[in-house]
Amino acid sequence: MASRRSRRIQRWCTQPLTPLLEGPDPEAQGEGGKKESSWEIIRTWVRFQMDKGNGNTFSISFYGNNAAKRKDLKLLLGVLGCPLAAISLSNDPISHLSVKDVPFETSSAHYIVQQYLAATGCLKLRNRIKSLYAVGTVKMVCCETEIGSGKNVRNVGMRGGENGCFVLWQKSPGMWSVELVVAGGKIVAGSNGKIVWRHTPWLGTHAAKGPQRPLRRIIQGLDPKSTANMFTKAQCLGEKRIGEDDCFVLKVAADRASIIERSEGPAEVIRHVMYGYFSQKSGLLIYIEDSHLTRVQTPGSDTIYWETTIGSTIGDYREVDGVLIAHSGRSLATVFRFGEASMQHSRTRMEEDWRIDDVVFNVPGLSDEYFIPPADIFEVTMRDS
């Protein structure tokens, strides 16, 4: 209880409220302390990779080059640290989903979601789970950067990795908080049910634009109810084999209105789509993938597209208080940069292995005050409400 009290009264330094970008944001400070935009920093990071490739300098990514190690670590945390799901959670009661008078693809998805809830044990508990606490470990790996120009493709970088841990709290409706530490780099993020925010040492505190959306780490097998809620408006695309499992494939996509709300300045979100693969044999979610495409157009520069794809294998389901919870998984993320007028592109791959060490439902004494945003964001929220 003492740790929770100290967490609630923690004070944050006032920071400029910049939008929470869902993609690589490896640096916020240039040489001499010059403040840069996140997208300028992304371009700097890519040029850094290209320069290393041209100079045949391969001592990077956690191997003896501290500057490169910091850049790669920030890229890992920016992409895999606390990504958000594609859409907001539905307000429709999950237990009341109808399969009548709806398209076949939608009714099939409803049936698959109901089977998933039954398989995890959530149908029996219904609304008895109000909050959860989870602690786990991660290993993040920056694999390589592939740089291509026309038919010429070269790989830059060496494989390296760092271990870390995270603590996650969640409370209905829509409140969550996560702290992730990897190799001395730390991300703190949260939601009070109305606004999502994130704090990093290199970007300070910043808020997410657009509708409130859940943390992706929560819906990848940790909270089956939220996962089912995510796919209540899904369509069933058919079947696909993942490993040794035949799966039903469900798809949800952010609508145009929410996509427009999430765009900011030169960065325009084009689409965000999520796919869930549910085992036909067990009914459990075993793979989840989402793809996020952003177009960046700055004055005097060519249009650049950034596509971030994260695919997560989910497994090691164990029963916790009557609910099957996934206790381990592996995520593979790809950041693909390409332009309209140039044949040059880059593709960076990174991985995360994660494991849940402990899960507790209905945490005693966990109040809404625990999820209050940092002071600067909270003040802006109160003025706008």
mmCIF file of all heavy atoms in Angstrom, residues 86-123:
data_model
loop_
_atom_site.group_PDB
_atom_site.id
_atom_site.type_symbol
_atom_site.label_atom_id
_atom_site.label_comp_id
_atom_site.label_asym_id
_atom_site.label_seq_id
_atom_site.Cartn_x
_atom_site.Cartn_y
_atom_site.Cartn_z
ATOM 1 N N ALA A 86 -5.831 -0.802 -32.147
ATOM 2 C CA ALA A 86 -6.297 -0.065 -33.322
ATOM 3 C C ALA A 86 -7.527 0.786 -33.043
ATOM 4 O O ALA A 86 -7.653 1.896 -33.565
ATOM 5 C CB ALA A 86 -6.588 -1.042 -34.467
ATOM 6 N N ILE A 87 -8.460 0.285 -32.231
ATOM 7 C CA ILE A 87 -9.740 0.964 -32.046
ATOM 8 C C ILE A 87 -10.086 1.043 -30.567
ATOM 9 O O ILE A 87 -9.470 0.380 -29.722
ATOM 10 C CB ILE A 87 -10.877 0.238 -32.803
ATOM 11 C CG1 ILE A 87 -11.112 -1.150 -32.198
ATOM 12 C CG2 ILE A 87 -10.571 0.143 -34.281
ATOM 13 C CD1 ILE A 87 -12.325 -1.866 -32.765
ATOM 14 N N SER A 88 -11.086 1.856 -30.272
ATOM 15 C CA SER A 88 -11.597 1.936 -28.906
ATOM 16 C C SER A 88 -12.386 0.680 -28.578
ATOM 17 O O SER A 88 -12.911 0.004 -29.467
ATOM 18 C CB SER A 88 -12.498 3.168 -28.751
ATOM 19 O OG SER A 88 -11.797 4.343 -29.066
ATOM 20 N N LEU A 89 -12.486 0.381 -27.278
ATOM 21 C CA LEU A 89 -13.290 -0.756 -26.867
ATOM 22 C C LEU A 89 -14.763 -0.442 -27.023
ATOM 23 O O LEU A 89 -15.215 0.684 -26.811
ATOM 24 C CB LEU A 89 -12.986 -1.127 -25.410
ATOM 25 C CG LEU A 89 -11.575 -1.636 -25.131
ATOM 26 C CD1 LEU A 89 -11.431 -2.030 -23.667
ATOM 27 C CD2 LEU A 89 -11.216 -2.824 -26.024
ATOM 28 N N SER A 90 -15.536 -1.457 -27.384
ATOM 29 C CA SER A 90 -16.964 -1.279 -27.601
ATOM 30 C C SER A 90 -17.689 -1.110 -26.276
ATOM 31 O O SER A 90 -17.300 -1.675 -25.250
ATOM 32 C CB SER A 90 -17.529 -2.481 -28.356
ATOM 33 O OG SER A 90 -18.932 -2.427 -28.417
ATOM 34 N N ASN A 91 -18.776 -0.330 -26.302
ATOM 35 C CA ASN A 91 -19.619 -0.169 -25.113
ATOM 36 C C ASN A 91 -20.738 -1.199 -25.045
ATOM 37 O O ASN A 91 -21.485 -1.257 -24.072
ATOM 38 C CB ASN A 91 -20.242 1.239 -25.105
ATOM 39 C CG ASN A 91 -19.189 2.322 -24.902
ATOM 40 O OD1 ASN A 91 -18.231 2.128 -24.167
ATOM 41 N ND2 ASN A 91 -19.365 3.451 -25.572
ATOM 42 N N ASP A 92 -20.873 -2.013 -26.098
ATOM 43 C CA ASP A 92 -21.925 -3.026 -26.119
ATOM 44 C C ASP A 92 -21.594 -4.156 -25.154
ATOM 45 O O ASP A 92 -20.452 -4.632 -25.121
ATOM 46 C CB ASP A 92 -22.099 -3.601 -27.525
ATOM 47 C CG ASP A 92 -22.500 -2.537 -28.532
ATOM 48 O OD1 ASP A 92 -23.171 -1.574 -28.114
ATOM 49 O OD2 ASP A 92 -22.132 -2.665 -29.714
ATOM 50 N N PRO A 93 -22.557 -4.594 -24.341
ATOM 51 C CA PRO A 93 -22.306 -5.734 -23.443
ATOM 52 C C PRO A 93 -21.922 -6.964 -24.243
ATOM 53 O O PRO A 93 -22.615 -7.353 -25.186
ATOM 54 C CB PRO A 93 -23.661 -5.927 -22.741
ATOM 55 C CG PRO A 93 -24.380 -4.627 -22.894
ATOM 56 C CD PRO A 93 -23.930 -4.067 -24.200
ATOM 57 N N ILE A 94 -20.787 -7.577 -23.897
ATOM 58 C CA ILE A 94 -20.286 -8.718 -24.654
ATOM 59 C C ILE A 94 -21.266 -9.886 -24.601
ATOM 60 O O ILE A 94 -21.473 -10.593 -25.588
ATOM 61 C CB ILE A 94 -18.909 -9.148 -24.103
ATOM 62 C CG1 ILE A 94 -17.909 -7.994 -24.278
ATOM 63 C CG2 ILE A 94 -18.406 -10.390 -24.785
ATOM 64 C CD1 ILE A 94 -16.554 -8.270 -23.694
ATOM 65 N N SER A 95 -21.905 -10.091 -23.464
ATOM 66 C CA SER A 95 -22.796 -11.241 -23.293
ATOM 67 C C SER A 95 -24.069 -11.115 -24.109
ATOM 68 O O SER A 95 -24.801 -12.087 -24.274
ATOM 69 C CB SER A 95 -23.136 -11.428 -21.816
ATOM 70 O OG SER A 95 -23.758 -10.256 -21.307
ATOM 71 N N HIS A 96 -24.333 -9.885 -24.654
ATOM 72 C CA HIS A 96 -25.575 -9.668 -25.382
ATOM 73 C C HIS A 96 -25.368 -9.556 -26.890
ATOM 74 O O HIS A 96 -26.224 -9.065 -27.603
ATOM 75 C CB HIS A 96 -26.264 -8.394 -24.873
ATOM 76 C CG HIS A 96 -26.730 -8.511 -23.456
ATOM 77 N ND1 HIS A 96 -26.954 -7.407 -22.665
ATOM 78 C CD2 HIS A 96 -26.993 -9.594 -22.684
ATOM 79 C CE1 HIS A 96 -27.342 -7.807 -21.448
ATOM 80 N NE2 HIS A 96 -27.362 -9.126 -21.445
ATOM 81 N N LEU A 97 -24.196 -9.998 -27.375
ATOM 82 C CA LEU A 97 -23.948 -9.937 -28.808
ATOM 83 C C LEU A 97 -24.948 -10.807 -29.552
ATOM 84 O O LEU A 97 -25.225 -11.938 -29.166
ATOM 85 C CB LEU A 97 -22.524 -10.411 -29.120
ATOM 86 C CG LEU A 97 -21.390 -9.498 -28.650
ATOM 87 C CD1 LEU A 97 -20.052 -10.121 -28.977
ATOM 88 C CD2 LEU A 97 -21.494 -8.130 -29.291
ATOM 89 N N SER A 98 -25.488 -10.275 -30.634
ATOM 90 C CA SER A 98 -26.507 -10.980 -31.401
ATOM 91 C C SER A 98 -25.915 -11.525 -32.689
ATOM 92 O O SER A 98 -25.021 -10.924 -33.282
ATOM 93 C CB SER A 98 -27.667 -10.034 -31.734
ATOM 94 O OG SER A 98 -28.588 -10.666 -32.607
ATOM 95 N N VAL A 99 -26.401 -12.680 -33.131
ATOM 96 C CA VAL A 99 -25.994 -13.258 -34.411
ATOM 97 C C VAL A 99 -27.137 -13.202 -35.416
ATOM 98 O O VAL A 99 -27.076 -13.805 -36.470
ATOM 99 C CB VAL A 99 -25.512 -14.724 -34.232
ATOM 100 C CG1 VAL A 99 -24.263 -14.762 -33.377
ATOM 101 C CG2 VAL A 99 -26.615 -15.591 -33.615
ATOM 102 N N LYS A 100 -28.210 -12.487 -35.069
ATOM 103 C CA LYS A 100 -29.364 -12.371 -35.955
ATOM 104 C C LYS A 100 -29.349 -11.036 -36.683
ATOM 105 O O LYS A 100 -28.935 -10.018 -36.159
ATOM 106 C CB LYS A 100 -30.661 -12.502 -35.143
ATOM 107 C CG LYS A 100 -30.839 -13.854 -34.474
ATOM 108 C CD LYS A 100 -32.160 -13.915 -33.720
ATOM 109 C CE LYS A 100 -32.346 -15.268 -33.054
ATOM 110 N NZ LYS A 100 -33.644 -15.335 -32.310
ATOM 111 N N ASP A 101 -29.852 -11.055 -37.910
ATOM 112 C CA ASP A 101 -30.035 -9.855 -38.724
ATOM 113 C C ASP A 101 -28.746 -9.066 -38.909
ATOM 114 O O ASP A 101 -28.750 -7.833 -38.956
ATOM 115 C CB ASP A 101 -31.100 -8.945 -38.106
ATOM 116 C CG ASP A 101 -32.448 -9.648 -37.971
ATOM 117 O OD1 ASP A 101 -32.796 -10.429 -38.882
ATOM 118 O OD2 ASP A 101 -33.130 -9.417 -36.957
ATOM 119 N N VAL A 102 -27.612 -9.759 -38.989
ATOM 120 C CA VAL A 102 -26.323 -9.126 -39.263
ATOM 121 C C VAL A 102 -25.629 -9.912 -40.370
ATOM 122 O O VAL A 102 -25.953 -11.088 -40.597
ATOM 123 C CB VAL A 102 -25.428 -9.082 -37.996
ATOM 124 C CG1 VAL A 102 -26.029 -8.188 -36.936
ATOM 125 C CG2 VAL A 102 -25.196 -10.482 -37.449
ATOM 126 N N PRO A 103 -24.699 -9.292 -41.098
ATOM 127 C CA PRO A 103 -23.984 -10.027 -42.153
ATOM 128 C C PRO A 103 -23.302 -11.277 -41.625
ATOM 129 O O PRO A 103 -22.934 -11.349 -40.445
ATOM 130 C CB PRO A 103 -22.961 -8.995 -42.652
ATOM 131 C CG PRO A 103 -23.544 -7.668 -42.296
ATOM 132 C CD PRO A 103 -24.291 -7.881 -41.012
ATOM 133 N N PHE A 104 -23.129 -12.239 -42.517
ATOM 134 C CA PHE A 104 -22.551 -13.522 -42.112
ATOM 135 C C PHE A 104 -21.159 -13.342 -41.501
ATOM 136 O O PHE A 104 -20.819 -13.990 -40.502
ATOM 137 C CB PHE A 104 -22.474 -14.460 -43.327
ATOM 138 C CG PHE A 104 -21.771 -15.750 -43.036
ATOM 139 C CD1 PHE A 104 -22.403 -16.758 -42.318
ATOM 140 C CD2 PHE A 104 -20.462 -15.959 -43.471
ATOM 141 C CE1 PHE A 104 -21.745 -17.951 -42.040
ATOM 142 C CE2 PHE A 104 -19.808 -17.155 -43.202
ATOM 143 C CZ PHE A 104 -20.454 -18.151 -42.484
ATOM 144 N N GLU A 105 -20.329 -12.454 -42.099
ATOM 145 C CA GLU A 105 -18.973 -12.247 -41.579
ATOM 146 C C GLU A 105 -19.002 -11.713 -40.152
ATOM 147 O O GLU A 105 -18.170 -12.071 -39.327
ATOM 148 C CB GLU A 105 -18.198 -11.276 -42.479
ATOM 149 C CG GLU A 105 -17.913 -11.775 -43.884
ATOM 150 C CD GLU A 105 -19.102 -11.601 -44.812
ATOM 151 O OE1 GLU A 105 -20.143 -11.077 -44.347
ATOM 152 O OE2 GLU A 105 -19.003 -11.983 -45.987
ATOM 153 N N THR A 106 -19.998 -10.863 -39.861
ATOM 154 C CA THR A 106 -20.111 -10.294 -38.519
ATOM 155 C C THR A 106 -20.672 -11.307 -37.524
ATOM 156 O O THR A 106 -20.179 -11.426 -36.397
ATOM 157 C CB THR A 106 -21.005 -9.043 -38.547
ATOM 158 O OG1 THR A 106 -20.487 -8.106 -39.494
ATOM 159 C CG2 THR A 106 -21.076 -8.390 -37.168
ATOM 160 N N SER A 107 -21.704 -12.043 -37.926
ATOM 161 C CA SER A 107 -22.289 -13.038 -37.022
ATOM 162 C C SER A 107 -21.280 -14.147 -36.717
ATOM 163 O O SER A 107 -21.228 -14.647 -35.584
ATOM 164 C CB SER A 107 -23.561 -13.627 -37.633
ATOM 165 O OG SER A 107 -23.285 -14.302 -38.842
ATOM 166 N N SER A 108 -20.474 -14.511 -37.710
ATOM 167 C CA SER A 108 -19.435 -15.520 -37.473
ATOM 168 C C SER A 108 -18.419 -15.009 -36.454
ATOM 169 O O SER A 108 -17.984 -15.748 -35.559
ATOM 170 C CB SER A 108 -18.723 -15.870 -38.780
ATOM 171 O OG SER A 108 -19.610 -16.435 -39.708
ATOM 172 N N ALA A 109 -18.049 -13.727 -36.584
ATOM 173 C CA ALA A 109 -17.106 -13.143 -35.627
ATOM 174 C C ALA A 109 -17.691 -13.121 -34.220
ATOM 175 O O ALA A 109 -16.999 -13.421 -33.242
ATOM 176 C CB ALA A 109 -16.726 -11.722 -36.069
ATOM 177 N N HIS A 110 -18.997 -12.791 -34.098
ATOM 178 C CA HIS A 110 -19.650 -12.799 -32.790
ATOM 179 C C HIS A 110 -19.581 -14.191 -32.161
ATOM 180 O O HIS A 110 -19.297 -14.337 -30.960
ATOM 181 C CB HIS A 110 -21.107 -12.374 -32.937
ATOM 182 C CG HIS A 110 -21.280 -10.916 -33.198
ATOM 183 N ND1 HIS A 110 -22.511 -10.330 -33.396
ATOM 184 C CD2 HIS A 110 -20.365 -9.899 -33.287
ATOM 185 C CE1 HIS A 110 -22.355 -9.033 -33.607
ATOM 186 N NE2 HIS A 110 -21.076 -8.757 -33.545
ATOM 187 N N TYR A 111 -19.838 -15.206 -32.962
ATOM 188 C CA TYR A 111 -19.811 -16.577 -32.445
ATOM 189 C C TYR A 111 -18.402 -16.947 -31.981
ATOM 190 O O TYR A 111 -18.226 -17.564 -30.918
ATOM 191 C CB TYR A 111 -20.279 -17.536 -33.540
ATOM 192 C CG TYR A 111 -20.253 -18.981 -33.126
ATOM 193 C CD1 TYR A 111 -21.259 -19.523 -32.324
ATOM 194 C CD2 TYR A 111 -19.205 -19.815 -33.525
ATOM 195 C CE1 TYR A 111 -21.224 -20.853 -31.936
ATOM 196 C CE2 TYR A 111 -19.166 -21.145 -33.146
ATOM 197 C CZ TYR A 111 -20.173 -21.658 -32.349
ATOM 198 O OH TYR A 111 -20.136 -22.978 -31.964
ATOM 199 N N ILE A 112 -17.385 -16.554 -32.750
ATOM 200 C CA ILE A 112 -15.999 -16.877 -32.393
ATOM 201 C C ILE A 112 -15.601 -16.159 -31.109
ATOM 202 O O ILE A 112 -14.916 -16.725 -30.243
ATOM 203 C CB ILE A 112 -15.055 -16.499 -33.554
ATOM 204 C CG1 ILE A 112 -15.339 -17.403 -34.760
ATOM 205 C CG2 ILE A 112 -13.594 -16.615 -33.140
ATOM 206 C CD1 ILE A 112 -14.729 -16.901 -36.051
ATOM 207 N N VAL A 113 -16.037 -14.916 -30.944
ATOM 208 C CA VAL A 113 -15.744 -14.164 -29.714
ATOM 209 C C VAL A 113 -16.403 -14.827 -28.508
ATOM 210 O O VAL A 113 -15.796 -14.943 -27.432
ATOM 211 C CB VAL A 113 -16.216 -12.704 -29.864
ATOM 212 C CG1 VAL A 113 -16.170 -11.986 -28.514
ATOM 213 C CG2 VAL A 113 -15.342 -11.958 -30.873
ATOM 214 N N GLN A 114 -17.652 -15.290 -28.677
ATOM 215 C CA GLN A 114 -18.339 -15.985 -27.580
ATOM 216 C C GLN A 114 -17.605 -17.277 -27.211
ATOM 217 O O GLN A 114 -17.473 -17.613 -26.029
ATOM 218 C CB GLN A 114 -19.793 -16.300 -27.977
ATOM 219 C CG GLN A 114 -20.677 -15.071 -28.113
ATOM 220 C CD GLN A 114 -21.076 -14.481 -26.768
ATOM 221 O OE1 GLN A 114 -20.692 -14.983 -25.725
ATOM 222 N NE2 GLN A 114 -21.867 -13.419 -26.798
ATOM 223 N N GLN A 115 -17.122 -18.000 -28.212
ATOM 224 C CA GLN A 115 -16.361 -19.219 -27.935
ATOM 225 C C GLN A 115 -15.059 -18.910 -27.209
ATOM 226 O O GLN A 115 -14.622 -19.652 -26.325
ATOM 227 C CB GLN A 115 -16.073 -19.962 -29.242
ATOM 228 C CG GLN A 115 -17.308 -20.530 -29.926
ATOM 229 C CD GLN A 115 -18.032 -21.531 -29.030
ATOM 230 O OE1 GLN A 115 -17.454 -22.497 -28.534
ATOM 231 N NE2 GLN A 115 -19.322 -21.287 -28.803
ATOM 232 N N TYR A 116 -14.443 -17.796 -27.558
ATOM 233 C CA TYR A 116 -13.211 -17.380 -26.887
ATOM 234 C C TYR A 116 -13.481 -17.059 -25.421
ATOM 235 O O TYR A 116 -12.721 -17.463 -24.530
ATOM 236 C CB TYR A 116 -12.632 -16.166 -27.603
ATOM 237 C CG TYR A 116 -11.517 -15.465 -26.878
ATOM 238 C CD1 TYR A 116 -10.269 -16.075 -26.710
ATOM 239 C CD2 TYR A 116 -11.698 -14.192 -26.352
ATOM 240 C CE1 TYR A 116 -9.241 -15.434 -26.046
ATOM 241 C CE2 TYR A 116 -10.672 -13.540 -25.681
ATOM 242 C CZ TYR A 116 -9.450 -14.160 -25.532
ATOM 243 O OH TYR A 116 -8.440 -13.524 -24.869
ATOM 244 N N LEU A 117 -14.565 -16.334 -25.150
ATOM 245 C CA LEU A 117 -14.923 -16.023 -23.769
ATOM 246 C C LEU A 117 -15.204 -17.281 -22.969
ATOM 247 O O LEU A 117 -14.807 -17.403 -21.801
ATOM 248 C CB LEU A 117 -16.144 -15.103 -23.749
ATOM 249 C CG LEU A 117 -15.911 -13.649 -24.160
ATOM 250 C CD1 LEU A 117 -17.241 -12.921 -24.311
ATOM 251 C CD2 LEU A 117 -15.030 -12.936 -23.132
ATOM 252 N N ALA A 118 -15.878 -18.237 -23.597
ATOM 253 C CA ALA A 118 -16.161 -19.499 -22.910
ATOM 254 C C ALA A 118 -14.882 -20.275 -22.645
ATOM 255 O O ALA A 118 -14.694 -20.854 -21.561
ATOM 256 C CB ALA A 118 -17.132 -20.327 -23.743
ATOM 257 N N ALA A 119 -13.968 -20.283 -23.620
ATOM 258 C CA ALA A 119 -12.720 -21.034 -23.477
ATOM 259 C C ALA A 119 -11.839 -20.469 -22.374
ATOM 260 O O ALA A 119 -11.158 -21.211 -21.660
ATOM 261 C CB ALA A 119 -11.961 -21.039 -24.806
ATOM 262 N N THR A 120 -11.856 -19.148 -22.203
ATOM 263 C CA THR A 120 -11.028 -18.527 -21.162
ATOM 264 C C THR A 120 -11.689 -18.534 -19.792
ATOM 265 O O THR A 120 -11.023 -18.266 -18.786
ATOM 266 C CB THR A 120 -10.699 -17.067 -21.538
ATOM 267 O OG1 THR A 120 -11.922 -16.343 -21.739
ATOM 268 C CG2 THR A 120 -9.867 -17.016 -22.812
ATOM 269 N N GLY A 121 -12.982 -18.830 -19.731
ATOM 270 C CA GLY A 121 -13.687 -18.857 -18.465
ATOM 271 C C GLY A 121 -14.354 -17.555 -18.091
ATOM 272 O O GLY A 121 -14.948 -17.437 -17.010
ATOM 273 N N CYS A 122 -14.295 -16.543 -18.986
ATOM 274 C CA CYS A 122 -14.862 -15.231 -18.652
ATOM 275 C C CYS A 122 -16.383 -15.225 -18.634
ATOM 276 O O CYS A 122 -16.988 -14.404 -17.930
ATOM 277 C CB CYS A 122 -14.363 -14.187 -19.651
ATOM 278 S SG CYS A 122 -12.651 -13.691 -19.370
ATOM 279 N N LEU A 123 -17.032 -16.114 -19.385
ATOM 280 C CA LEU A 123 -18.490 -16.131 -19.397
ATOM 281 C C LEU A 123 -19.054 -16.472 -18.023
ATOM 282 O O LEU A 123 -20.094 -15.954 -17.618
ATOM 283 C CB LEU A 123 -18.999 -17.128 -20.434
ATOM 284 C CG LEU A 123 -18.988 -16.668 -21.903
ATOM 285 C CD1 LEU A 123 -19.579 -17.750 -22.789
ATOM 286 C CD2 LEU A 123 -19.748 -15.360 -22.078
#
